[in-house]
Amino acid sequence: MKVLDFPLAKITILFIIGILFCYYREPSLDVAGALFIVGIVLFLVSYFLTQKNKKRYLFFGLSTYFISFFIGALTLLFHTSSLQKSNYIHSHSAFENPKAITFTLREKLKSNTYNDRFTAIINTIDNKTYSGKIIVNIHKDSTENLIIGNVIKVTTTLQRSNSNKNPNQFDYGKYLADKQIYAQVYINKSEISLNKKLKKDIWYYCGRLHSRIVRNLEKANFNNEEMNVALALILGQQQEISSDIIQDYQYSGATHILSVSGLHVGFIMLFINFILKPIPNTKKGSLIKLLSILLSLATFAIISGLSPSVLRSVVMFSFLAIGNHLRRNGSIYHTLLVSILLILLFEPYFLFDVGFQLSYLALFFIVWLQPVLKNIWKPKNKIQTTVWNALTVSFAAQIGTLPLCLYYFHQFPGLFFVTNIIIIPLLSFIMIAGIIVMIVALFISPPILLIEVFEKSIYLLNQTIHFIASFESFVIRDISFNFYFLITFYLLIIAFIIWSKKPGFSKISFLLITIILVQISFIYTKKEIENKQELIVYNAKRNTLISVRKGKNISLFTNDTLSKNNILNSYIVGNFGKLKSTNTIKNTLFFNGKKIFIIDSSGIYENRIQPDILILTQSPKINLDRILQDLHPIIIIADASNSYSIQKNWKITCLKKNTPFHATSEKGYYKLE
């Protein structure tokens, strides 16, 4: 039975398309609801018609897909917190002036240099009930005794999450908005008023269980560095892992093992099945096994903090367990589709989570492509078979996720296959030992012998990863890869797999067409690059950066020609560019017939310049009123090298003179085409 012949496959696809349509087109709730009601009417009419005339199944099918589409759209709308009237985003005054805000700590995040960070749920603003998630930044050394479930009252101003201020950079504001977080607060312990009564919900008990495990591991003198990796491997808690270790895992192609996924939950399910093996496979015994597996997976999800990666993996394997219990040897593709549909019904924004996308792509390609790769060679002994199976699984997952990884991260770890062959056997032992240690740590401090074995195995894993990551020449970085490449490369991969499974004329034709489409995407991208000309004034603190692009060649103008700049690197990679030259900033630039004049810290200018664009940098001590009278610029640009107070005064001056003012620290980079 082909996957697309399964009715739920088409329903799930239309449901996902509905979510995507709603996400990018943003229809109103009234319009989407009205169309959904129309769909229900069509569905009911078509249902009764098909009862009388079986030939009208097409109309019934189309109405079903129509409803599926709008259920997807409505699901996203209902889960968009900003559309709810009670959400704090509608309290505009809370973003302008300090207000008395109460919130409940929900989850501990990774700390940065200055602050410990949490997610929290807003309760009230000035004694009025509001809802919604925020990020709480509490100055370091101020967070003693704070736990998940604490209800905090503080007088502060909500700050909107910043979007990316430079081209082709990670959009942190959009990332948080997809998690329904629209604001942050920055506070000190001295400003906090703690409510003695804790909010004891599931998140509180998750936090308590996690804290109990950590406390018992610390009592057993578990080395801090290895313990942080253990908590990531077993429970998906990455908050305390050092950036050096994370970098090693990235360079070696093993980042996926730090985020609990199907691999980890699969190990847990195998371990549970092993423990339950003595129970007979009778009707009653099978039910006991099923309930034990479901309860164990649910407990694991709670202990790990109900993170998205854990939830989707637990849902997936729960469906597998239910299918096995019902003795239905249904297609694994159907199980994947059902789990996707169920997860997105409750959390549609998971669809835009990179981890969600990579996880399901990896699972799909392992199921679909691995058997094809496996049949290329038939090993004759058990060791060769084990190694070959590990290799084919690794290659299938990597091929399936490669275009998406290149699109998001622009790098490729060349030694991923070596990493997976070496670490999978070690990881198997670590997972089993880790599950035992975490279960024991729930109740008591684990025995020293058990801790030492577990600690040494993680130390060995870290050292192995570090050794592989040390071959940095095998990490291919700064790969330019756009959306056209993403789509056409996936079409090529899919066409090749279809053809390799069962060659035929129509399939080879499809493969050749996808090859042509890949070539067209390259040609179109090249043409697009060659015709592009733009000048960018970047938002860079304590530095002035201006780039001029003509085709793929980029010239940089800066007051610091020696330092390497990641801001520019993101722009070069994202635009298939090449840095042609790095120059010291000149006072005058010309671009596409526009005269650009730059006033730096010297504050020197000449009345006869008369520029179209005036750029102010390095906080010059100038009288902007006089400059506007003398130079008559069309627009004023102030980059982030200027102090905030000076920019504020300049903005007021420009408003009085009706001269457009663009501060990069407020509006982001300035682009002239």
Side-chain angles (χ1 to χ4, degrees):
M1 183 179 181
K2 293 181 179 178
V3 178
L4 291 178
D5 290 339
F6 185 46
L8 193 61
K10 296 172 184 175
I11 289 171
T12 303
I13 291 169
L14 265 296
F15 176 80
I16 290 172
I17 292 172
I19 292 175
L20 291 170
F21 174 80
C22 182
Y23 184 80
Y24 290 106
R25 303 303 301 175
E26 299 179 355
S28 69
L29 184 60
D30 293 338
V31 171
L35 289 171
F36 174 68
I37 293 170
V38 170
I40 291 289
V41 173
L42 291 174
F43 175 79
L44 293 173
V45 170
S46 64
Y47 175 76
F48 287 113
L49 287 175
T50 52
Q51 299 303 306
K52 296 178 181 179
N53 187 348
K54 301 295 181 182
K55 294 181 180 178
R56 303 199 178 185
Y57 273 124
L58 178 62
F59 183 48
F60 176 72
L62 290 174
S63 63
T64 303
Y65 302 144
F66 185 84
I67 289 175
S68 301
F69 177 88
F70 281 100
I71 288 175
L74 286 170
T75 300
L76 190 79
L77 287 172
F78 286 136
H79 284 84
T80 303
S81 297
S82 59
L83 297 179
Q84 298 172 8
K85 291 182 180 179
S86 63
N87 191 271
Y88 63 81
I89 200 167
H90 301 296
S91 176
H92 301 295
S93 60
F95 290 90
E96 296 167 358
N97 303 303
K99 300 287 181 183
I101 301 172
T102 61
F103 51 81
T104 305
L105 297 184
R106 166 66 64 84
E107 180 188 3
K108 180 79 168 68
L109 300 176
K110 189 176 180 66
S111 302
N112 58 28
T113 308
Y114 306 104
N115 301 300
D116 287 317
R117 305 169 69 241
F118 298 82
T119 60
I121 303 297
I122 290 278
N123 300 323
T124 63
I125 299 175
D126 270 358
N127 297 318
K128 293 181 181 178
T129 302
Y130 282 93
S131 62
K133 289 171 69 176
I134 60 169
I135 288 181
V136 179
N137 299 272
I138 305 177
H139 193 270
K140 283 210 169 180
D141 303 324
S142 301
T143 54
E144 55 181 330
N145 302 324
L146 290 184
I147 61 171
I148 304 305
N150 272 139
V151 179
I152 293 173
K153 184 175 182 180
V154 66
T155 301
T156 187
T157 305
L158 294 178
Q159 297 188 25
R160 296 185 189 277
S161 301
N162 291 327
S163 57
N164 58 326
K165 297 290 180 68
N166 287 299
N168 304 105
Q169 280 194 325
F170 174 66
D171 194 336
Y172 187 59
K174 181 176 176 295
Y175 168 79
L176 290 180
D178 286 345
K179 294 182 179 294
Q180 309 304 292
I181 300 172
Y182 308 104
Q184 301 189 48
V185 294
Y186 293 83
I187 55 180
N188 293 308
K189 180 67 183 288
S190 58
E191 301 171 324
I192 292 173
S193 175
L194 270 180
N195 191 324
K196 292 180 180 179
K197 189 177 179 181
L198 295 167
K199 186 172 183 180
K200 295 184 178 181
D201 54 13
I202 190 170
W203 305 100
Y204 166 79
Y205 291 107
C206 286
R208 291 292 83 203
L209 286 171
H210 179 253
S211 298
R212 186 181 179 87
I213 290 171
V214 172
R215 190 165 57 249
N216 283 332
L217 291 177
E218 287 174 343
K219 281 181 184 177
N221 296 318
F222 202 136
N223 182 277
N224 196 52
E225 193 169 90
E226 276 73 41
M227 184 177 72
N228 291 334
V229 174
L231 292 172
L233 289 172
I234 312 300
L235 302 181
Q237 303 291 328
Q238 299 183 35
Q239 294 93 328
E240 304 301 328
I241 299 181
S242 71
S243 55
D244 290 338
I245 289 178
I246 290 175
Q247 182 176 286
D248 283 346
Y249 277 79
Q250 288 174 342
Y251 285 0
S252 64
T255 314
H256 59 284
I257 72 172
L258 289 179
S259 178
V260 172
S261 61
L263 176 68
H264 303 71
V265 179
F267 274 126
I268 291 167
M269 192 165 167
L270 286 172
F271 181 67
I272 296 165
N273 279 325
F274 176 75
I275 294 172
L276 300 174
K277 205 169 184 181
I279 299 175
N281 286 322
T282 60
K283 189 175 182 180
K284 187 178 179 181
S286 181
L287 180 60
I288 292 170
K289 284 184 177 181
L290 174 65
L291 293 175
S292 299
I293 289 169
L294 295 180
L295 182 62
S296 300
L297 292 180
T299 304
F300 170 71
I302 290 169
I303 294 171
S304 63
L306 299 172
S307 67
S309 60
V310 174
L311 280 175
R312 58 178 173 257
S313 301
V314 165
V315 170
M316 170 68 188
F317 280 92
S318 296
F319 273 101
L320 280 175
I322 293 168
N324 290 335
H325 170 71
L326 297 173
R327 302 289 196 274
R328 292 184 179 178
N329 296 320
S331 169
I332 184 67
Y333 301 111
H334 301 164
T335 307
L336 280 169
L337 288 168
V338 170
S339 65
I340 289 172
L341 183 60
L342 186 64
I343 289 171
L344 294 181
L345 272 170
F346 289 96
E347 289 288 350
Y349 277 94
F350 277 5
L351 184 62
F352 308 100
D353 182 85
V354 178
F356 180 89
Q357 296 167 13
L358 291 173
S359 179
Y360 270 102
L361 274 172
L363 282 169
F364 177 77
F365 275 91
I366 287 171
V367 172
W368 191 36
L369 179 57
Q370 195 263 346
V372 177
L373 299 175
K374 189 178 175 181
N375 289 331
I376 294 173
W377 179 49
K378 301 285 187 182
K380 294 182 179 180
N381 64 61
K382 196 171 182 179
I383 296 174
Q384 288 178 335
T385 302
T386 303
V387 173
W388 180 240
N389 286 342
L391 262 177
T392 53
V393 167
S394 179
F395 271 106
Q398 198 69 47
I399 289 168
T401 57
L402 178 61
L404 200 65
C405 286
L406 293 179
Y407 180 70
Y408 282 125
F409 309 118
H410 302 287
Q411 68 177 29
F412 175 68
L415 293 177
F416 73 91
F417 58 95
V418 176
T419 303
N420 283 290
I421 288 174
I422 294 172
I423 68 170
I424 291 297
L426 184 57
L427 187 63
S428 305
F429 174 79
I430 288 172
M431 288 300 298
I432 294 168
I435 292 165
I436 295 169
V437 168
M438 297 300 167
I439 291 171
V440 173
L442 272 172
F443 306 100
I444 60 171
S445 181
I448 298 298
L449 179 62
L450 187 58
I451 286 292
E452 284 184 353
V453 171
F454 188 39
E455 185 183 299
K456 295 299 180 187
S457 62
I458 292 178
Y459 175 78
L460 180 60
L461 175 68
N462 286 344
Q463 290 302 307
T464 304
I465 293 292
H466 179 71
F467 175 73
I468 296 171
S470 65
F471 296 95
E472 290 192 29
S473 56
F474 286 93
V475 182
I476 307 168
R477 300 186 188 87
D478 301 335
I479 303 170
S480 296
F481 203 85
N482 61 15
F483 187 72
Y484 308 133
F485 291 1
L486 177 69
I487 299 300
T488 55
F489 269 84
Y490 267 121
L491 286 173
L492 177 61
I493 291 169
I494 291 167
F496 181 80
I497 296 170
I498 291 172
W499 171 78
S500 63
K501 279 180 173 278
K502 194 175 180 180
F505 178 75
S506 59
K507 292 171 183 176
I508 191 68
S509 299
F510 178 46
L511 178 59
L512 292 172
I513 289 169
T514 58
I515 292 171
I516 292 169
L517 287 174
V518 170
Q519 292 174 327
I520 290 172
S521 71
F522 274 94
I523 293 167
Y524 183 79
T525 299
K526 186 177 180 181
K527 185 179 178 182
E528 206 175 45
I529 293 165
E530 288 175 350
N531 294 332
K532 195 76 173 177
Q533 293 189 26
E534 60 188 16
L535 179 143
I536 304 281
V537 180
Y538 296 88
N539 181 62
K541 291 183 179 179
R542 297 183 296 275
N543 195 2
T544 297
L545 289 175
I546 302 171
S547 70
V548 176
R549 175 184 170 191
K550 293 183 179 179
K552 70 174 183 179
N553 294 318
I554 297 170
S555 298
L556 175 67
F557 296 89
T558 177
N559 56 356
D560 184 3
T561 57
L562 297 177
S563 63
K564 184 181 178 182
N565 200 287
N566 291 327
I567 294 173
L568 181 68
N569 191 58
S570 297
Y571 176 70
I572 291 171
V573 174
N575 291 278
F576 297 81
K578 181 182 178 182
L579 184 60
K580 185 180 177 182
S581 62
T582 301
N583 312 288
T584 303
I585 287 181
K586 302 174 182 176
N587 288 110
T588 308
L589 293 173
F590 293 91
F591 181 80
N592 283 354
K594 301 282 185 182
K595 185 189 288 185
I596 302 159
F597 187 71
I598 300 165
I599 299 179
D600 56 22
S601 57
S602 66
I604 298 171
Y605 69 95
E606 295 181 15
N607 293 352
R608 59 185 178 82
I609 291 294
Q610 300 296 308
D612 298 294
I613 298 169
L614 178 63
I615 300 176
L616 304 175
T617 71
Q618 309 297 320
S619 300
K621 294 178 181 179
I622 54 173
N623 185 326
L624 191 57
D625 273 310
R626 186 184 301 165
I627 287 175
L628 291 175
Q629 290 175 6
D630 292 343
L631 303 184
H632 307 290
I634 297 171
I635 185 172
I636 302 280
I637 313 295
D639 69 9
S641 66
N642 299 290
S643 73
Y644 175 76
S645 57
I646 290 177
Q647 290 186 63
K648 194 175 179 180
N649 293 331
W650 288 342
K651 185 178 181 179
I652 293 168
T653 302
C654 287
L655 281 172
K656 290 178 181 176
K657 298 289 185 179
N658 290 322
T659 302
F661 179 76
H662 184 108
T664 62
S665 57
E666 180 185 348
K667 298 179 179 179
Y669 66 94
Y670 177 79
K671 180 164 72 171
L672 177 64
E673 294 182 303

